[in-house]
Amino acid sequence: MFEEATGDLTNVLYDIALAGKIISGYVRRAGIVDDVLGSAEKTNVQGETQQKLDVIANETIKQAVAHTGRICVMASEEEDDPIPCVSNPDGRYVLMFDPLDGSSNIDVNASIGTIFSIHKRSEDPTATALDHTLQPGTNQVAAGYIIYGSSTVMVYTAGQGVHGFTLDPTIGEFRLLNPDVKVKPSGKYYSVNESNFSRWSDGYREVVRHLKGAVGGPANQKNARYIGSLVADFHRNLLSGGVFMYPGDTKNPNGKLRLQYEANPLAFVIEQAGGRASNGRTRIMDIDPTELHQRVPLVIGGVNDVQFVEDMIVATDGDG
Ligand code: P6P
């Protein structure tokens, strides 16, 4: 199933796939069985209200990998600090994840997803649990996501292309139905929350004016699609072509999305699919992280679409 990965890494991906099957089961039963929908009445480190499925997904992934001996440290969007896997502090890999991205869409039955990023442990013998997680995206050995939509699909890369597996519920296995996925250099969609327009830089405003055909005529015009669930917006653009943006703005200069377990894993996937990911100026995977939950502006999609956005930002806002 994961022929490009080798050794323990293959098994880590199987561990994540198992967690994905379990989470998929909960998502599919949400609303039918009690204690799955609605708020968990708790707030996470991001200051966001946790949904019950956030907590279920987070615990499911932790339980799937904590005692395998393959992971030395885990880090989750739902956890304040990195979690050392005490069962085997010498585990070769580090797993960072957003257990259920887009959870505000759970109760309205819109697609949601799990995003994961895998690094090798730091070679520094004095590395702390946090040190193992603060590695740049270029150090990732594998990354991907599981989207719980009309079907459950796992998309991953281990550095040899991007491969899509669809969960076949009749056999309870992920089947390779979409090998070697490539993103169009320029696609038909643009995805951004335009309600933030008034807080954007002039550069992002000019980009969106072109993408909606308000200036520049039909040359750069695209269809607007924004689900408000990163994994769903990304997956559509990966398969159909397009560009997703979550800019920084006057209220949130670094935007909303997190570098280590949202932007970096999707950046690895899009680059392996022939696309590009930046913060509007700098390649996402080249950014040296300073905090586990740090946020980063994100422009991600086909290489020509992302280049168009970057060129417009520099031309309008200057070299920054
Ligand atoms: P906004 C979901 O909460 C999420 O983290 C991403 O999945 C999504 O792309 C983004 O936030 C949506 O944020 O501010 O547009 O509602």
Side-chain angles (χ1 to χ4, degrees), residues 101-102 104 193 196 226 228-230 244 246 256-258 262:
D101 178 76
S104 57
N193 184 341
N196 298 326
Y226 192 72
S229 183
L230 174 60
F244 173 95
Y246 205 107
K256 176 177 184 180
L257 303 176
R258 292 78 168 181
E262 290 176 332

Side-chain angles (χ1 to χ4, degrees), residues 39-219:
S39 168
E41 310 298 334
K42 290 191 284 188
T43 305
N44 65 16
V45 65
Q46 323 292 341
E48 296 167 342
T49 301
Q50 285 183 311
Q51 302 301 305
K52 288 175 185 169
L53 258 178
D54 282 323
V55 177
I56 290 169
N58 191 48
E59 292 307 315
T60 298
I61 295 171
K62 291 195 302 185
Q63 288 165 20
V65 304
H67 303 290
T68 61
R70 295 185 268 272
I71 301 289
C72 61
V73 174
M74 295 185 283
S76 168
E77 183 208 37
E78 300 298 336
E79 306 278 352
D80 297 12
D81 302 308
I83 304 167
C85 296
V86 295
S87 63
N88 182 350
D90 298 328
R92 293 176 58 198
Y93 295 103
V94 178
L95 174 65
M96 294 186 277
F97 56 96
D98 182 354
L100 205 62
D101 178 76
S103 51
S104 57
N105 291 299
I106 293 172
D107 293 8
V108 297
N109 207 22
S111 297
I112 51 184
T114 297
I115 310 172
F116 61 90
S117 172
I118 303 171
H119 291 258
K120 282 189 176 166
R121 62 179 294 122
S122 167
E123 293 177 355
D124 178 349
T126 67
T128 65
L130 183 60
D131 294 335
H132 287 299
T133 65
L134 293 185
Q135 300 184 55
T138 46
N139 285 11
Q140 292 176 104
V141 293
Y145 58 91
I146 301 169
I147 181 169
Y148 311 102
S150 49
S151 58
T152 296
V153 173
M154 180 170 179
V155 176
Y156 94 103
T157 183
Q160 283 97 26
V162 175
H163 310 289
F165 298 78
T166 301
L167 182 60
D168 181 339
T170 62
I171 59 172
E173 279 298 345
F174 281 102
R175 295 173 53 193
L176 177 60
L177 301 185
N178 205 351
D180 200 20
V181 180
K182 294 297 179 191
V183 64
K184 296 185 181 84
S186 185
K188 57 184 175 182
Y189 297 120
Y190 77 97
S191 310
V192 66
N193 184 341
E194 294 193 44
S195 70
N196 298 326
F197 185 92
S198 64
R199 302 201 301 261
W200 292 342
S201 72
D202 292 340
Y204 278 106
R205 293 180 186 179
E206 197 59 15
V207 163
V208 171
R209 287 191 189 101
H210 279 78
L211 293 178
K212 65 194 326 176
V215 298

